[in-house]
């Protein structure tokens, strides 16, 4: 059950709030629809329900606010618009990445791909999916944690009638299994078709909160639409005959030669027009919305019959929750002229669908009638959603998420490959122009005219993309399990980017050394005596650049800020740090390892002295000081901006 109490959005300057004091309830086992025209506040209401927009009011999911639920993805699944994923990531990769964030096994992604009919498009990039396929993938991501509540914003916008029927059947099946469904719609006829309860909004306020049957009686009225060049004459004739026969008939002039006749039928209106020789261009039955606010303009020769009050017509049939729940398990009966298709869709396991007593109308399909298997583009009845085990919150899920995010697209491998290729070319050029192959700058491919070597810049770019893609393609917003500013996700990103930077640094050195040996012979490339210090400095430089890009992109929420922070370290911060902070030391560090060995309780090996000296020399380098200062400033900025914002999840 979902309870929204007093939802009010933040008032904009010189504009009323988009949602003002909205209170409603979405019950378990029912489909609740927020209905309203464009600008009525439906999307803002859903964002307030999910805590994605600032405002006042309270929302309770089965009696608990969402920020107090241990794993929100197990309580609510949301679909607000299109799937927010990287266009180059595959459908399976997107779901597997989100399954790591939610905390469910990766096999859950494959199960849901079968449920939504995307098993054949699992390796298709998100950028190539059609609107209907994208909406199916969004539903699969919302169902990853097996939530009790589904929140969807206009899920049928732009879909074909077959995809709409499939989606409505899936929502009905979820509600029939005891779930809560809250979605927004624009068309009243669609709301009456699928909803158990309709909440109507108008200019951000609650206009009506009705059961589906009551909504159909009061807001949907069957009428006869007539278009004729003699609208005034036909209106007067219909009103005169209705008065003579004492029938409740209302004739409303719509304009442009069109009439809306309430309380009659196509046969009666057509016979009347034929008897009086009135030409009719259009005659059809309609069921539409009759809003309470506007009233028809008075016509001189048409209007309601005097002395009679129009009686509302019978409500259109609204499918019950039980019949909608049974729809996914029933085969689709093709038209008599249809060509027989492949075998029928397998019926879900009895444990997945609650036991029900089928009605004769729903079980009248002949046994010999061929049925069709749902396909990604031709599916009208989805299979039942398999129940997933409740995930256990584990501190390892941010690490699994970050690994799948990094390896799910080709951007980071291509950056690493470009850095290795550029380093190899620069290394050979430096060695060819007379530089000694034994110099560290030659092996690292760091000429004097470059602020950073290609490997360090590539590591910084990988770090900047790590957080930049979170805000450019906010996939975690649909997972409802975390936000980019959570500490666990930050630590996972720091660890993964550090491992990627060290791997890139080692790969560059290995490739450059092998290239130098092949070009100049193995005798010119020997391992220097101070290789631990050089290795530590090289790895620290790449890791520091990766972390600078990561933190800067997290603070400013854009990849370009991370790249700028990486380049600012050697160009801006290093010269300032060298002039201000790097001064001649009063005492030398010679003999420091021996003095520390005397103070230590544990006997350290002799090899530890070289590593200790290398660690002490790192901060003395201008770039090292600049990196340390930049990282400290970025960490402080990240903590300040992260703690200042309210974390809803």
């Amino acid at each position: 059950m979902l309870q929204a109490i007093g939802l009010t959005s933040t008032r904009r300057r010189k504009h009323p709030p988009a949602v003002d004091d909205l209170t409603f309830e979405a019950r378990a086992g029912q489909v609740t629809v927020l209905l309203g025209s464009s600008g009525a506040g439906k999307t803002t209401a859903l964002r307030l329900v999910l805590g994605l927009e600032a405002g006042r009011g309270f929302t309770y999911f089965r009696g608990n606010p969402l920020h107090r639920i241990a794993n929100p993805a197990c309580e609510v699944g949301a679909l607000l618009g299109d799937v927010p994923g990287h266009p180059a990531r595959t459908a399976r990769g997107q779901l597997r990445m989100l399954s790591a964030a939610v905390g469910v096994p990766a096999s859950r992604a494959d199960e849901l791909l079968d449920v939504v009919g995307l098993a054949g498009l699992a390796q298709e990039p998100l950028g190539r999916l059609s609107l209907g396929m994208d909406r199916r993938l969004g539903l699969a991501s919302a169902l990853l944690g097996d939530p009790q509540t589904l929140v969807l914003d206009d899920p049928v916008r732009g879909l074909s009638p077959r995809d709409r029927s499939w989606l409505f059947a899936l929502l009905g099946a979820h509600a029939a299994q005891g779930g809560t469904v809250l979605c927004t719609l624009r068309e009243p006829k669609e709301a009456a078709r699928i909803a158990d309860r309709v909440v109507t909004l108008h200019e951000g306020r609650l206009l009506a909160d009705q059961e589906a049957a009551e909504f159909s009686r009061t807001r949907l009225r069957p009428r006869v639409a007539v278009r004729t060049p003699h609208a005034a004459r036909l209106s007067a004739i219909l009103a005169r005959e209705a008065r003579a026969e004492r029938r409740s008939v209302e004739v409303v002039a719509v304009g442009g030669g069109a009439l809306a006749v309430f309380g009659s039928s196509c046969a009666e209106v057509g016979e009347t027009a034929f008897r009086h020789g009135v030409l009719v261009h259009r005659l059809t039955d309609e069921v539409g919305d009759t809003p309470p606010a506007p009233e028809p303009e008075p016509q001189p020769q048409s209007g309601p019959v005097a002395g009679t009050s129009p009686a509302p017509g019978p409500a259109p049939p609204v499918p019950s929750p039980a019949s909608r729940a049974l729809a996914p398990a029933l085969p689709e009966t093709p038209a008599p002229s249809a060509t027989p298709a492949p075998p029928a869709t397998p019926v879900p396991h009895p444990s997945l669908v609650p036991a029900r007593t089928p009605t004769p109308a729903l079980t009248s399909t002949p046994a010999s009638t061929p049925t069709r298997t749902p396909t990604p583009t031709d599916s009208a009845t989805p299979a039942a959603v398999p129940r997933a085990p409740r995930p256990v919150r584990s501190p390892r899920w941010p690490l699994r998420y970050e690994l799948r995010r990094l390896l799910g697209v080709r951007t980071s491998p291509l950056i690493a490959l470009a850095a290795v290729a550029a380093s190899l070319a620069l290394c050979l050029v430096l060695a060819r122009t007379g530089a000694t192959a034994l110099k560290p700058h030659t092996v690292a491919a760091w000429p004097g005219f470059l602020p950073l070597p290609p490997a360090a810049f590539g590591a910084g770019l990988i770090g900047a993309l790590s957080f930049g893609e979170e805000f450019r393609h906010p996939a975690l917003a649909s997972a409802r399990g975390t936000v980019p500013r959570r500490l666990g996700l930050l630590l996972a990103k720091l660890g993964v980017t550090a491992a990627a930077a060290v791997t890139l640094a080692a790969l560059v050195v290995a490739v450059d050394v092998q290239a130098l040996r092949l070009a100049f012979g193995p005798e010119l490339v020997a391992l220097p005596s101070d290789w631990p210090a050089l290795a530590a400095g090289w790895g620290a430089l790449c890791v520091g650049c990766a972390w600078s890009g990561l933190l800067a992109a997290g603070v400013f929420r854009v990849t370009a800020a991370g790249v700028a922070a990486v380049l600012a370290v050697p160009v801006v911060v290093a010269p300032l740090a060298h002039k201000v902070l790097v001064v001649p030391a009063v005492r030398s560090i010679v003999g420091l390892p021996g003095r520390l060995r005397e103070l230590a309780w544990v006997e350290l090996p002799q090899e530890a002295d070289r590593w200790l000296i290398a660690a002490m020399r790192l901060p003395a380098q201008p770039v090292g000081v600049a990196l340390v200062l930049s990282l400290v400033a970025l960490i402080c900025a990240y903590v300040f901006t992260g703690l200042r914002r309210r974390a809803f999840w």
Side-chain angles (χ1 to χ4, degrees), residues 227-488:
R227 185 173 297 277
T228 173
H230 309 288
R233 180 186 171 194
L234 180 59
S235 175
I237 293 173
L238 292 174
R240 184 172 61 252
E241 289 190 356
R243 190 183 307 109
E245 298 175 4
R246 295 184 179 182
R247 291 188 298 111
S248 176
V249 177
E250 179 183 2
V251 183
V252 178
V254 181
L259 297 176
V261 183
F262 298 92
S264 185
S265 63
C266 284
E268 295 176 353
V269 176
E271 291 176 0
T272 301
F274 177 77
R275 288 196 307 268
H276 294 82
V278 178
L279 178 64
V280 174
H281 291 166
R282 180 192 178 195
L283 185 64
T284 181
D285 286 320
E286 287 186 353
V287 178
D289 185 27
T290 307
E295 294 183 358
E297 298 180 0
Q299 301 291 334
Q301 300 180 10
S302 64
V305 178
T308 60
S309 59
V318 180
S320 63
S323 63
R324 290 199 311 270
L326 280 171
L330 294 176
E332 180 185 357
T333 305
S337 60
T339 304
T345 305
V347 179
H349 192 272
S351 62
L352 302 180
V353 181
R356 307 174 183 85
T357 303
T359 59
L362 293 174
T363 58
S364 59
T365 304
S368 60
T369 303
T371 55
R372 296 185 298 178
T373 302
T375 60
T377 59
D378 190 13
S379 177
T381 56
V385 180
R387 309 295 291 182
R390 291 299 181 184
V392 180
R393 196 176 182 89
S394 170
R396 294 182 299 172
W397 65 263
L399 184 61
R400 298 197 303 269
Y401 167 83
E402 181 60 22
L403 286 174
R404 290 172 180 169
R405 186 208 62 79
L406 180 67
L407 302 177
V409 294
R410 301 177 181 177
T411 304
S412 297
L414 289 178
I415 291 174
L417 182 61
V420 171
S423 299
L424 178 60
L426 287 175
C427 174
L428 294 177
V429 169
L430 289 176
R432 187 76 176 178
T433 54
T436 306
L438 297 176
K439 286 188 176 181
H441 285 73
T442 303
V443 178
W446 193 358
F449 60 86
L450 288 182
L452 284 174
F457 181 75
L461 185 56
I462 291 175
L465 288 173
S466 179
F467 250 135
E469 289 185 355
E470 295 289 357
F471 298 104
R472 186 179 180 183
H473 308 289
L476 290 178
S478 60
R480 300 271 71 83
T482 182
V483 293
R485 294 191 177 275
R486 293 290 283 267
L487 181 61

Side-chain angles (χ1 to χ4, degrees), residues 620-641:
Q621 302 295 327
V623 178
V625 175
L627 274 177
V628 172
L629 292 177
S630 300
L631 289 176
V632 170
L634 289 173
I635 289 174
C636 294
Y638 186 91
V639 171
F640 175 74
T641 56

Side-chain angles (χ1 to χ4, degrees), residues 520-567:
F520 301 99
E523 63 278 358
L524 294 179
V525 183
L527 188 65
S529 58
D530 58 342
W531 68 268
L534 297 176
W538 176 239
L541 174 65
C542 293
V543 172
C545 290
W547 284 359
S548 296
L550 172 70
L551 293 173
V555 170
F556 297 102
R557 302 186 173 219
V558 65
T559 304
V563 178
V566 172
L567 294 176

